[in-house]
Amino acid sequence: MTIKITPSYKEISDRKVKARDAKFIKEWLAPESILPDSSVKDVTKWIKESGCLNDLELEITEADAPTIIENIKTKKWRAVQVAEAFGKRATLAHQLTNCLTEIFFEEGLQTAKELDEYQDKTGKTKGPLHGLPVSLKDNINVKGHATTIGMVKYCFEPEIMDTDSVIVTLLRNLGAVLYVKTNVPVAMMMPETTNHIWGNTTNPMNRLLSAGGSSGGEAALLKLKGSPIGIGSDIGGSIRIPASFQNLYALRPSFGRFPTYGARSGLPGLESVNSVNGPLSISLESMETYCKAIIGQEPWNHDAKVIQMPWRTVELPEKLNIAVVVDDGWVRPVPPVRRGMNIVINKLKEAGHEVIDWDPEDHLRASQIISGFFLSDGGVHIKEVTEPTGEPFFEYMKGYETATELPVSELWKLQAERTTLMKKFLDRWNATASQTSNNKPIDAIIMPATPFAGSPNAKFRDYVGYTSPFNMTDYAVGILPVTRAVKDLDLKDPESTNHSKTDTTIWEDYDPEEVHGGAVAVQVIGRRFEEEKVIEMLKVISKLLDHSDI
Amino acid sequence: MTIKITPSYKEISDRKVKARDAKFIKEWLAPESILPDSSVKDVTKWIKESGCLNDLELEITEADAPTIIENIKTKKWRAVQVAEAFGKRATLAHQLTNCLTEIFFEEGLQTAKELDEYQDKTGKTKGPLHGLPVSLKDNINVKGHATTIGMVKYCFEPEIMDTDSVIVTLLRNLGAVLYVKTNVPVAMMMPETTNHIWGNTTNPMNRLLSAGGSSGGEAALLKLKGSPIGIGSDIGGSIRIPASFQNLYALRPSFGRFPTYGARSGLPGLESVNSVNGPLSISLESMETYCKAIIGQEPWNHDAKVIQMPWRTVELPEKLNIAVVVDDGWVRPVPPVRRGMNIVINKLKEAGHEVIDWDPEDHLRASQIISGFFLSDGGVHIKEVTEPTGEPFFEYMKGYETATELPVSELWKLQAERTTLMKKFLDRWNATASQTSNNKPIDAIIMPATPFAGSPNAKFRDYVGYTSPFNMTDYAVGILPVTRAVKDLDLKDPESTNHSKTDTTIWEDYDPEEVHGGAVAVQVIGRRFEEEKVIEMLKVISKLLDHSDI
């Protein structure tokens, strides 16, 4: 047996975690003794019941963004009170799920103080988000802080950022209060949130389950109301998977609608498919407030890739035409997800909307193309970042270790195929007009965001084929919470469909007891750049659902 | 000495030219005997004076698109009359400049006949372009015809297209009459229009000069009024260079505004910089009519890469802020171009607009990045197309023969650099606000489209650095005709600036006698997606200029 020297990555990570922990405000931490034992799975009600927050702090942190903004405007609440309440709650959320990375509560409080002073002095608010705390995924650069994206090399100098991402500049202009960044998987390229610095983020609805990824820290924090609105990013499902795992609302916008410039990418320079950022929240209203505020800043004057498109008013038809996919033919969703889809379908029909089937014929290929793009540099960049510290590859990331780099001529072929497939999706979308009773094409496709109602930590099976086809098409996609897994309702299927090896494995893995309480959410997929319409559809469909226990 | 077998490419080319020539309508051809001798340089007035067209045909072909459409609507002219007039004139234009490739006059006449019948029967027109002839660059697919892009392999079956490009579908829906396609350089990757099938297209303003490229066939045809509006494409300057060489109006839109799907690319799958298509015309009104009609068709429902952005009404400020570049520091424009810039600058100032300088500091690097993208596949694709027929490489294309293919990781670096540079351009544009008297940023940059007022056939020096930076930034750019080169005014500079080797060569080449009568046009560069504003600015600035002899 060889004796190994502790690899340098461990030392750096330990130092980084200690540095973060030193930034917690001591009085805000719950004593270890009162924290729920790790055997307690569902911790979503713990904070409220713990006594750690007073009534006002609870009232503030349970409010949605419009309410917070309005109450600060009228001085019912001050920005500092709001920042404190969310800072405390974020601290507790972290203690329960390990969701935070960079912590800058003091800066947030300072910003809030300045906002209060500004308001007192001028009688005005600084901007449409005056005093609103906003949490950020740890790929977004904030001046003076690291952006680790879960990679050890990025922990310390010279990797402390000296400029803000464009989205941060806009948030500051709007009067938002920034106070935390949240955990992600290595390079943001896994659907579970774990890495060699911060470790794993668990799911507050069932801590045996993963928070999902890559915006998993955000999703766990938001679920526990440690933030009213958070920003995630999505290149293959990274907003949608964690949002669906935590039953949040979320929006994956089309590329070019929201500013992405100056954020750290796991695969910088990749453009065959573009990472986008978008909001996640327990509140649809909070999400809409965020979108209007950001677009209202004319982000096209700040990010050269954003298009000149103001936030538009959309009127939905009374009767929506919806196409659905319950099973994509490659991986059948587990029983609670299928039950969730049926709830949505039945509610839509009851309300008089028309439901037709969407044939997922090209989804698998679309998903393969996206994977091909991710791996097209043969993992050269990822290896450049991991090698200096010796941080090892997680099993899920092995593809980046072993991939063969493509020559550009091969990439061009893959890009050309993708363009053809985008056109086919568009034509098929238009052609649904021949299947609906009003001869209009569908307004949306509704389908699961993953085959899972949560997946046990470290066990996410290698399949993002429910989300990544819409990165390929670049459609605007919303996440709609539906219900939770119930062990007595969502029994194991008697037989596997054997669609594929992954499908069989997932069938074998499925344990109703294990995923009990896991989230069931679906995607509401609009056309490219139909962000406004997607939000309107989320509103309409949400009203049909019973959300009393999501 | 080795005896060579005639290479197969020659046989194929000869056969292709014969096939095209057989498609001319005999009665429309001018007898060889009356055609101007090749020593006649300026043939822009020849058609009108030749007697080949009758008065009505002259009236029709001298009209702009709105007039043609209106006169067909009121039945003053019938669509068939219009199609005949332009067919005849296009035939003559071809005899003068060698501008046509695919010819389908019979189909155009048949379309026109059906349009007339439709109008007679229904009392309505088919669409906003009912009866308007539109010429197409030979990269646009028309069902039943080849799309050679100047490459021998694409001449015959199995390369006869079985579907239309999206832009063609829209034109047919709008009631346009399609009748010709126009010449391009090999793969559309040279700034002069020549290839091994069709040969060289000359410039009707001075046939010693090149028509420019790659949309050179279009530009020559349009200059001779063989078409009221034509569609070119631009990935490095391919609309703007020939438009400026023929003193036409033209628009290079941002990518995603006009549909490009289903056209043949010289470098298919290249997306680091995107080819766009846009209109060229002698008439600004014709160009605007075309833009409104195409965007009115909601092209985003036909091409998955077009964004949902209707044609917008734009109100210009009374006083424009304009930044200018007279010399980019790498290649100084020849004297007539500098004189043209001075005309524009003086007229702008006289009219009360504000003129400041734009520092072209990053133009050279932008231009190099674009070249890097073109060559990033190491010419693999181009060689795949040339090798089967053995067609040789033109000198200008040698780069594609010798380039080294990049691995994807290197491409990503170049793309990341481009994104950073796009942001820098945007920030610098915004920062011009500090230089203007009303503290508003510039409305446009005005600069030459090439350093040349036309360049002698086969002598275009390797520099497209006046156009390609705006492919990198993806800005909306218009071409504005200004004046013509005058041998007695545009004397050779006493000394070279020696900016660069290319600069010195161009100085050595410059011969006022040779380029006499050549066109002088400039670029009017707006921000990304500001197509409407660019057209409005072209209107305003055109009115300041004396266009009596362009």
Side-chain angles (χ1 to χ4, degrees):
Chain A
M1 193 182 157
T2 329
I3 293 169
K4 276 195 178 173
I5 309 285
T6 312
S8 67
Y9 83 89
K10 285 242 181 216
E11 294 165 39
I12 301 168
S13 298
D14 288 352
R15 196 148 53 90
K16 184 69 179 168
V17 171
K18 280 202 189 91
R20 174 200 60 193
D21 289 350
K23 290 191 179 167
F24 280 107
I25 292 177
K26 300 283 167 298
E27 306 76 54
W28 291 0
L29 286 159
E32 290 287 334
S33 59
I34 73 160
L35 286 172
D37 183 83
S38 64
S39 67
V40 178
K41 298 201 284 185
D42 183 345
V43 295
T44 50
K45 295 191 171 63
W46 186 84
I47 293 176
K48 194 170 180 181
E49 292 162 359
S50 69
C52 293
L53 300 183
N54 65 32
D55 286 352
L56 177 60
E57 287 161 350
L58 283 175
E59 193 190 345
I60 289 172
T61 54
E62 308 262 326
D64 64 12
T67 307
I68 295 167
I69 292 164
E70 180 61 22
N71 284 344
I72 293 177
K73 203 171 182 177
T74 61
K75 295 195 183 177
K76 182 182 172 191
W77 300 338
R78 305 311 312 266
V80 166
Q81 288 177 303
V82 171
E84 276 181 3
F86 278 104
K88 280 187 191 175
R89 193 152 180 158
T91 302
L92 301 171
H94 176 75
Q95 291 184 282
L96 295 169
T97 62
N98 187 39
C99 57
L100 302 183
T101 60
E102 300 295 316
I103 289 175
F104 32 103
F105 293 137
E106 314 280 6
E107 276 174 56
L109 290 169
Q110 180 60 28
T111 307
K113 187 165 162 270
E114 286 164 15
L115 288 167
D116 283 339
E117 287 167 2
Y118 178 91
Q119 192 183 6
D120 290 340
K121 200 171 150 189
T122 65
K124 291 186 296 187
T125 53
K126 195 183 168 194
L129 301 186
H130 183 105
L132 185 73
V134 178
S135 51
L136 306 168
K137 182 175 178 176
D138 197 9
N139 68 316
I140 298 172
N141 297 346
V142 177
K143 193 176 167 178
H145 300 282
T147 302
T148 70
I149 61 167
M151 303 187 85
V152 181
K153 181 173 185 282
Y154 294 138
C155 282
F156 294 108
E157 286 294 354
E159 298 292 342
I160 305 303
M161 296 297 154
D162 54 9
T163 49
D164 290 332
S165 291
V166 165
I167 190 89
V168 168
T169 304
L170 300 188
L171 285 168
R172 293 195 202 273
N173 293 346
L174 288 161
V177 172
L178 309 177
Y179 62 124
V180 286
K181 296 213 280 176
T182 56
N183 204 14
V184 299
V186 180
M188 302 175 294
M189 295 314 290
M190 305 197 284
E192 282 194 64
T193 291
T194 189
N195 58 63
H196 293 297
I197 310 168
W198 315 108
N200 185 48
T201 298
T202 56
N203 189 320
M205 299 176 73
N206 174 344
R207 293 195 294 174
L208 290 179
L209 305 179
S210 165
S214 65
S215 312
E218 270 308 317
L221 175 68
L222 290 158
K223 187 64 179 182
L224 291 172
K225 302 176 184 168
S227 162
I229 185 98
I231 306 174
S233 70
D234 193 315
I235 197 169
S238 281
I239 287 175
R240 290 165 288 160
I241 292 167
S244 85
F245 272 17
Q246 258 87 193
N247 261 344
L248 301 171
Y249 291 100
L251 179 69
R252 189 219 93 95
S254 297
F255 180 72
R257 201 73 206 275
F258 288 81
T260 54
Y261 187 83
R264 176 159 264 158
S265 167
L267 305 171
L270 165 66
E271 299 182 350
S272 310
V273 55
N274 286 294
S275 177
V276 296
N277 64 50
L280 301 85
S281 178
I282 51 166
S283 152
L284 196 42
E285 291 69 28
S286 299
M287 206 160 84
E288 192 175 15
T289 298
Y290 167 86
C291 292
K292 282 185 180 168
I294 295 292
I295 305 287
Q297 288 282 296
E298 304 189 342
W300 49 87
N301 286 329
H302 301 263
D303 180 334
K305 293 196 171 175
V306 174
I307 60 170
Q308 290 189 351
M309 189 183 279
W311 194 255
R312 300 157 300 181
T313 305
V314 170
E315 202 149 323
L316 290 186
E318 197 136 323
K319 193 199 81 163
L320 294 170
N321 291 334
I322 306 282
V324 295
V325 177
V326 179
D327 175 347
D328 76 354
W330 189 250
V331 171
R332 178 175 56 165
V334 296
V337 178
R338 301 211 302 279
R339 184 167 58 80
M341 277 300 300
N342 286 332
I343 291 171
V344 174
I345 291 168
N346 290 333
K347 290 291 182 185
L348 284 169
K349 286 180 178 170
E350 277 171 26
H353 302 295
E354 185 162 349
V355 178
I356 64 171
D357 286 321
W358 176 261
D359 185 342
E361 60 181 66
D362 294 307
H363 290 205
L364 181 65
R365 183 60 195 149
S367 171
Q368 289 165 341
I369 289 173
I370 294 296
S371 301
F373 290 146
F374 291 166
L375 296 169
S376 61
D377 85 331
V380 164
H381 177 75
I382 300 270
K383 281 178 265 188
E384 276 171 10
V385 183
T386 55
E387 275 169 9
T389 68
E391 68 164 306
F393 278 72
F394 281 84
E395 188 57 36
Y396 199 97
M397 294 289 287
K398 290 279 183 189
Y400 293 92
E401 202 171 18
T402 57
T404 307
E405 183 165 18
L406 293 186
V408 166
S409 59
E410 291 301 315
L411 182 71
W412 285 7
K413 282 177 190 153
L414 207 56
Q415 290 182 158
E417 184 187 353
R418 187 258 287 111
T419 300
T420 305
L421 210 46
M422 284 177 76
K423 167 71 169 160
K424 189 173 172 194
F425 268 85
L426 174 62
D427 288 345
R428 288 183 58 221
W429 187 296
N430 292 334
T432 57
S434 69
Q435 291 172 259
T436 61
S437 50
N438 63 4
N439 299 315
K440 289 185 178 163
I442 52 169
D443 298 292
I445 299 170
I446 294 185
M447 56 184 277
T450 83
F452 312 110
S455 92
N457 287 303
K459 277 195 177 171
F460 196 109
R461 298 303 173 184
D462 187 2
Y463 189 65
V464 294
Y466 278 81
T467 45
S468 64
F470 306 100
N471 296 89
M472 193 206 72
T473 59
D474 194 26
Y475 290 167
V477 185
I479 293 293
L480 171 74
V482 179
T483 187
R484 295 178 77 164
V486 178
K487 59 185 173 185
D488 298 330
L489 278 178
D490 302 316
L491 306 176
K492 190 158 181 159
D493 295 302
E495 277 184 49
S496 164
T497 45
N498 288 313
H499 285 328
S500 61
K501 217 173 118 183
T502 313
D503 184 68
T504 310
T505 309
I506 287 168
W507 181 83
E508 284 166 3
D509 285 348
Y510 178 66
D511 175 355
E513 182 73 40
E514 191 175 45
V515 303
H516 180 73
V520 174
V522 298
Q523 296 181 95
V524 176
I525 301 157
R527 293 179 188 243
R528 194 161 166 247
F529 291 114
E530 289 195 339
E531 288 76 19
E532 298 89 339
K533 183 171 179 180
V534 164
I535 287 182
E536 291 303 318
M537 290 191 288
L538 289 175
K539 286 182 194 168
V540 166
I541 308 169
S542 285
K543 284 191 190 125
L544 307 176
L545 301 173
D546 171 14
H547 274 169
S548 54
D549 190 34
I550 57 160
Chain B
M1 191 183 158
T2 329
I3 293 170
K4 275 196 179 172
I5 309 287
T6 311
S8 67
Y9 84 88
K10 286 241 180 215
E11 294 167 36
I12 300 168
S13 298
D14 288 352
R15 194 148 54 88
K16 183 67 179 169
V17 171
K18 282 203 187 92
R20 175 199 63 192
D21 289 349
K23 288 191 179 168
F24 281 107
I25 291 177
K26 301 282 167 301
E27 306 76 53
W28 291 359
L29 286 159
E32 291 286 334
S33 57
I34 72 159
L35 286 172
D37 184 84
S38 64
S39 66
V40 179
K41 297 201 284 185
D42 183 345
V43 294
T44 50
K45 296 193 171 64
W46 186 85
I47 293 176
K48 195 169 178 181
E49 292 162 0
S50 68
C52 291
L53 300 183
N54 64 33
D55 287 350
L56 178 60
E57 287 161 349
L58 283 175
E59 193 190 346
I60 289 171
T61 53
E62 308 263 326
D64 64 12
T67 307
I68 294 167
I69 292 164
E70 180 60 23
N71 283 345
I72 293 176
K73 202 170 181 179
T74 60
K75 294 194 182 177
K76 182 181 171 192
W77 300 338
R78 304 312 311 267
V80 166
Q81 288 177 303
V82 171
E84 275 181 3
F86 278 103
K88 279 188 192 174
R89 192 150 180 160
T91 302
L92 301 171
H94 176 77
Q95 292 183 283
L96 295 168
T97 63
N98 187 38
C99 57
L100 303 183
T101 59
E102 300 295 315
I103 288 174
F104 33 101
F105 293 136
E106 313 280 6
E107 277 174 56
L109 290 169
Q110 180 60 28
T111 307
K113 187 165 162 270
E114 286 164 15
L115 288 167
D116 284 339
E117 287 167 1
Y118 178 91
Q119 192 183 7
D120 290 340
K121 203 171 148 190
T122 65
K124 291 186 298 188
T125 52
K126 196 184 166 194
L129 301 185
H130 183 105
L132 184 74
V134 178
S135 51
L136 306 168
K137 182 174 179 176
D138 198 8
N139 68 318
I140 297 172
N141 296 346
V142 177
K143 193 176 167 177
H145 301 282
T147 303
T148 68
I149 61 167
M151 302 187 84
V152 181
K153 181 174 185 281
Y154 295 139
C155 281
F156 294 107
E157 286 294 355
E159 299 291 344
I160 305 304
M161 296 297 153
D162 54 9
T163 47
D164 289 331
S165 291
V166 165
I167 191 88
V168 168
T169 303
L170 299 189
L171 286 169
R172 292 195 201 274
N173 293 347
L174 288 161
V177 172
L178 308 177
Y179 61 124
V180 286
K181 294 212 282 176
T182 56
N183 204 15
V184 299
V186 179
M188 302 176 293
M189 295 314 291
M190 302 197 286
E192 282 195 62
T193 291
T194 189
N195 57 62
H196 293 296
I197 310 168
W198 313 108
N200 185 48
T201 299
T202 56
N203 189 322
M205 299 175 74
N206 175 343
R207 292 194 295 172
L208 289 180
L209 303 180
S210 164
S214 68
S215 312
E218 270 308 318
L221 174 68
L222 289 159
K223 187 64 182 181
L224 291 172
K225 302 175 184 168
S227 162
I229 184 100
I231 305 174
S233 69
D234 193 315
I235 196 169
S238 281
I239 286 174
R240 289 165 288 160
I241 292 166
S244 83
F245 273 17
Q246 259 83 199
N247 261 344
L248 300 171
Y249 291 100
L251 179 69
R252 188 220 93 96
S254 297
F255 180 71
R257 201 75 207 274
F258 288 82
T260 53
Y261 188 83
R264 176 160 265 157
S265 167
L267 305 171
L270 166 65
E271 299 182 350
S272 310
V273 55
N274 286 294
S275 176
V276 297
N277 63 50
L280 301 85
S281 177
I282 50 166
S283 152
L284 196 43
E285 291 70 27
S286 298
M287 205 161 84
E288 192 175 16
T289 298
Y290 166 87
C291 291
K292 282 184 180 168
I294 295 292
I295 305 287
Q297 288 282 296
E298 303 188 343
W300 48 87
N301 287 328
H302 300 265
D303 180 333
K305 293 196 170 175
V306 174
I307 60 170
Q308 290 189 352
M309 190 183 277
W311 195 254
R312 299 157 300 179
T313 305
V314 170
E315 203 149 321
L316 289 187
E318 197 135 321
K319 193 198 83 163
L320 293 170
N321 290 336
I322 306 283
V324 296
V325 177
V326 179
D327 175 347
D328 75 354
W330 189 251
V331 171
R332 180 175 56 166
V334 297
V337 177
R338 300 211 303 279
R339 185 169 55 82
M341 277 299 300
N342 286 332
I343 291 172
V344 174
I345 291 168
N346 290 334
K347 291 290 182 186
L348 284 169
K349 287 180 177 170
E350 276 171 28
H353 303 293
E354 185 162 350
V355 178
I356 64 171
D357 285 322
W358 176 260
D359 185 342
E361 60 180 67
D362 294 306
H363 290 205
L364 181 65
R365 183 60 194 150
S367 170
Q368 289 166 340
I369 289 174
I370 294 297
S371 301
F373 291 147
F374 292 166
L375 296 168
S376 62
D377 86 329
V380 164
H381 177 75
I382 300 270
K383 282 178 261 189
E384 275 172 11
V385 182
T386 54
E387 274 168 9
T389 68
E391 67 164 307
F393 278 72
F394 281 83
E395 188 58 36
Y396 200 98
M397 294 289 288
K398 290 279 182 189
Y400 293 93
E401 203 172 17
T402 57
T404 307
E405 183 166 18
L406 293 187
V408 165
S409 58
E410 291 301 316
L411 181 71
W412 285 8
K413 283 177 191 152
L414 207 56
Q415 290 182 159
E417 185 189 352
R418 188 258 288 112
T419 300
T420 305
L421 211 46
M422 284 176 77
K423 166 71 169 161
K424 189 174 172 193
F425 268 85
L426 174 61
D427 289 345
R428 287 183 58 222
W429 188 294
N430 292 333
T432 56
S434 69
Q435 292 172 256
T436 61
S437 51
N438 63 5
N439 299 315
K440 289 185 179 163
I442 53 170
D443 299 292
I445 298 169
I446 295 185
M447 56 183 275
T450 83
F452 312 109
S455 92
N457 289 303
K459 277 196 179 172
F460 195 109
R461 299 301 172 184
D462 186 3
Y463 189 65
V464 295
Y466 279 81
T467 46
S468 65
F470 306 100
N471 296 88
M472 193 205 71
T473 58
D474 194 25
Y475 290 167
V477 185
I479 293 292
L480 170 74
V482 179
T483 187
R484 295 178 78 161
V486 179
K487 59 185 172 185
D488 298 329
L489 278 179
D490 302 315
L491 306 178
K492 192 160 179 158
D493 294 304
E495 278 184 51
S496 165
T497 46
N498 288 312
H499 285 328
S500 61
K501 217 173 118 182
T502 312
D503 184 68
T504 310
T505 310
I506 288 168
W507 180 84
E508 284 166 3
D509 285 349
Y510 178 66
D511 175 354
E513 182 73 40
E514 191 175 46
V515 304
H516 180 72
V520 174
V522 297
Q523 297 182 94
V524 176
I525 301 158
R527 293 180 189 242
R528 194 161 165 244
F529 291 116
E530 289 194 339
E531 288 76 18
E532 298 89 338
K533 184 171 179 179
V534 164
I535 288 182
E536 291 304 318
M537 291 190 288
L538 289 175
K539 285 183 196 169
V540 166
I541 307 169
S542 284
K543 283 190 191 127
L544 307 176
L545 301 173
D546 171 14
H547 274 169
S548 55
D549 190 35
I550 58 159

